[in-house]
């Protein structure tokens, strides 16, 4: 079996199974390997999908591929696999699930036992918010098939957590989140950027383009101010209309938005430049420094760089992979950004402010 033939089989399988992914991902062997831990399961579907071999002169969709970086990354992945960093610790995830259930039960027991006066309601709501956000981080692990070795067990428990306990469809989340991982911070390909330009103007390139076209859906030069309340409010409304449920949902949305955006909005946001898999991930992500609180508070998404390079890696192993990834970045002159939690939050506002100013300048003088 030739390597080109194997690569063609991988690309065709991606196109059939994930038709929503961009074609540039579908020909990337690195992306395919990153998304699938159980290669034996995937290979069952490949034989029937083979339609031919790639011609020697077949052009690559990744025209800006850094071959030396990819070679070193593939060696790094082999090292990660040999170290066992892709194997889950079941005790860790059991404790994660247990503490979520305890928090959720406590939220209802406080109100049931002490009544619905203001103080018990606020305490119960606090427990509920923490339980819900931690459920969100846990279903994220399950969606990436990093809790169990068998994909079907991850999918089944994910349905329980996100659909039964949180009231959201697992298929909807997986569909959007897989696209985000395929092309993070690439406009028109990353659904997390769909808030541009409806609510926000993101990135210098997109902001200047928007300003030159004289488009103004919002006062983007003030977006760093209304981000604090408007975006979480927008998500909370999508959840519920009931006031008693809306308040904790708003709290959860605020927590989720600040954590999920701190690693991406301050980074490069642009159209797809057809970079290789590794460069695409590194230029769109940054980390937040490790601490027990930061790990828990963010569901280990403070290691966003490692998570994007190894999306199926169990989160308890990110810290072990981090020094290896940093060494790779240092070797190839790529900045490995790691910040404090507060700095990461402030950088969201700074980047929104800068984008808004670029939009305003182009709008007035472009």
């Amino acid at each position: 079996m030739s390597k080109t033939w194997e690569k063609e089989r991988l690309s065709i399988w991606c196109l059939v199974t994930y038709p929503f992914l961009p074609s540039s991902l579908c020909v990337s062997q690195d992306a395919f390997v990153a998304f699938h831990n159980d290669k034996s399961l995937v290979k069952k579907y490949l034989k029937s999908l083979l339609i031919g071999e790639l011609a020697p002169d077949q052009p690559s969709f990744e025209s800006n591929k850094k071959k030396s970086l990819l070679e070193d990354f593939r060696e790094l992945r082999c090292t990660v696999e040999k170290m066992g960093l892709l194997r889950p610790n079941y005790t860790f995830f059991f404790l994660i699930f247990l503490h979520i259930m305890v928090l959720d039960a406590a939220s209802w027991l406080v109100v049931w036992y002490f009544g619905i006066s203001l103080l018990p309601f606020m305490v119960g709501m606090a427990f509920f918010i923490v339980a819900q956000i931690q459920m969100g981080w846990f279903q994220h692990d399950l969606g990436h098939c990093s809790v169990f070795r068998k994909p079907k067990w991850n999918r089944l428990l994910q349905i329980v957590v996100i659909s039964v306990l949180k009231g959201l469809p697992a298929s909807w989340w997986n569909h959007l989140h897989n696209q985000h991982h395929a092309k993070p911070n690439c406009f028109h390909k990353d659904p997390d950027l769909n808030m541009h330009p409806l609510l926000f103007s993101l990135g210098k390139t997109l902001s200047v383009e928007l300003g030159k076209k004289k488009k103004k859906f919002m006062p983007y030069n003030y977006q760093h101010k209304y981000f604090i309340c408007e975006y979480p409010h927008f998500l909370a409304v999508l959840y519920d209309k009931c006031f008693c449920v809306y308040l904790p949902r708003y709290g959860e949305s605020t927590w989720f938005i600040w954590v999920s955006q701190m690693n991406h909005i301050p980074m490069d946001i642009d159209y797809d430049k057809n970079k290789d898999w590794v460069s695409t991930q590194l230029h769109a992500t940054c980390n937040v420094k490790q601490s027990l609180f930061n790990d828990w508070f963010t569901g280990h998404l403070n290691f966003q760089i490692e998570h994007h390079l190894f999306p199926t890696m169990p989160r308890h192993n990110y810290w072990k992979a981090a020094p290896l990834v940093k060494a790779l970045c240092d070797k190839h002159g790529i900045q490995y950004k790691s910040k404090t939690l507060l700095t990461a939050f402030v950088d969201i506002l700074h980047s929104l402010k800068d984008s808004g100013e670029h939009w305003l300048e182009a709008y007035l003088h472009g």
Side-chain angles (χ1 to χ4, degrees):
M1 182 185 297
S2 67
K3 292 183 178 179
T4 55
W5 189 63
E6 180 68 12
K7 184 176 180 181
E8 178 70 7
R9 293 174 69 188
L10 298 182
S11 67
I12 296 298
W13 189 88
C14 282
L15 284 168
V16 174
T17 308
Y18 295 114
F20 52 83
L21 295 183
S23 58
S24 55
L25 170 67
C26 295
V27 296
S28 172
Q29 188 173 7
D30 299 286
F32 181 90
V33 171
F35 279 116
H36 303 97
N37 265 346
D38 192 347
K39 306 299 185 299
S40 60
L41 175 65
V42 176
K43 288 179 180 178
K44 294 179 180 180
Y45 301 92
L46 294 180
K47 289 183 179 180
S48 62
L49 302 178
L50 176 62
I51 62 173
E53 296 185 10
L54 284 174
D57 59 346
Q58 177 71 34
S60 171
F61 283 95
E62 297 173 346
S63 55
N64 299 318
K65 181 183 297 184
K66 297 181 179 179
K67 293 183 179 180
S68 61
L69 174 62
L70 289 179
E71 289 173 358
D72 287 343
F73 174 73
R74 288 164 188 167
E75 290 184 8
L76 172 59
R77 183 172 179 91
C78 289
T79 301
V80 163
E81 291 176 348
K82 291 178 181 177
M83 292 173 64
L85 300 186
L86 298 181
R87 292 197 296 266
N89 183 323
Y90 295 126
T91 301
F92 172 86
F93 285 113
F94 172 76
L95 293 175
I96 289 290
F97 185 67
L98 180 63
H99 108 283
I100 290 172
M101 293 296 96
V102 169
L103 288 168
D104 191 55
S107 68
W108 298 104
L109 287 173
V110 167
V111 176
W112 172 78
Y113 186 80
F114 293 101
I116 57 174
S117 57
L118 180 60
L119 182 58
F121 176 78
M122 296 300 292
V123 172
M125 184 173 68
F127 280 132
F128 183 78
I129 290 172
V130 176
Q132 286 292 309
I133 198 68
Q134 291 298 327
M135 286 179 194
W137 305 147
F138 185 52
Q139 76 81 28
H140 174 260
D141 298 322
L142 293 162
H144 282 291
C145 295
S146 63
V147 177
F148 300 104
R149 294 189 181 184
K150 295 292 185 180
K152 65 178 180 180
W153 294 115
N154 287 284
R155 300 304 184 199
L156 286 173
L157 187 54
Q158 185 192 26
I159 291 173
V160 172
V161 175
I162 192 173
S163 299
V164 178
L165 299 179
K166 290 184 65 64
L168 295 170
S171 58
W172 165 80
W173 183 89
N174 288 331
H175 177 74
L176 295 178
H177 196 64
N178 284 336
Q179 292 180 74
H180 162 69
H181 269 267
K183 290 290 183 178
N185 281 15
C186 293
F187 189 48
H188 291 319
K189 294 186 177 181
D190 182 355
D192 286 5
L193 300 183
N194 287 346
M195 54 188 169
H196 173 97
L198 179 62
L199 295 176
F200 301 100
S201 177
L202 301 174
K204 180 178 178 180
T205 300
L206 302 180
S207 298
V208 171
E209 180 183 277
L210 201 64
K212 288 182 176 180
K213 292 180 179 179
K214 307 301 180 184
K215 292 186 177 181
K216 182 182 179 182
F217 297 98
M218 295 287 287
Y220 302 119
N221 49 313
Y222 296 109
Q223 62 184 359
H224 58 291
K225 297 181 179 180
Y226 64 72
F227 170 87
I228 298 174
C229 58
E230 180 170 325
Y231 197 16
H233 171 80
F234 178 74
L235 283 187
V237 170
L238 292 179
Y239 272 124
D240 300 288
K241 296 181 181 178
C242 177
F243 179 74
C244 291
V245 181
Y246 171 81
L247 281 178
R249 288 298 191 192
Y250 181 78
E252 179 195 354
S253 297
T254 301
W255 188 336
F256 172 79
I257 288 302
W258 284 91
V259 169
S260 63
Q261 300 306 313
M262 68 183 184
N263 307 104
H264 293 299
I265 282 186
M267 304 303 289
D268 182 46
I269 298 176
D270 208 332
Y271 292 98
D272 185 12
K273 301 298 184 183
N274 291 324
K275 298 176 182 177
D276 58 81
W277 162 257
V278 180
S279 297
T280 298
Q281 308 306 316
L282 290 175
H283 293 156
T285 55
C286 64
N287 279 6
V288 168
K289 295 185 181 299
Q290 183 189 25
S291 70
L292 288 176
F293 175 78
N294 286 353
D295 291 352
W296 174 82
F297 185 80
T298 66
H300 287 83
L301 293 181
N302 49 327
F303 289 98
Q304 192 74 217
I305 295 173
E306 288 70 30
H307 171 58
H308 266 257
L309 289 175
F310 306 100
T312 62
M313 179 181 288
R315 60 159 119 159
H316 52 75
N317 287 332
Y318 291 155
W319 69 275
K320 297 178 183 178
L324 304 177
V325 174
K326 187 177 187 304
L328 176 72
C329 292
D330 291 342
K331 178 179 179 180
H332 291 273
I334 301 173
Q335 187 177 10
Y336 182 94
K337 291 187 177 180
S338 184
K339 315 170 182 178
T340 66
L341 185 63
L342 180 59
T343 299
F345 287 162
V346 172
D347 280 351
I348 296 176
L349 303 181
H350 284 166
S351 58
L352 287 174
K353 185 175 185 292
D354 289 342
S355 297
E357 290 175 350
H358 286 304
W359 167 81
L360 184 62
E361 178 67 20
Y363 187 85
L364 295 177
H365 308 293

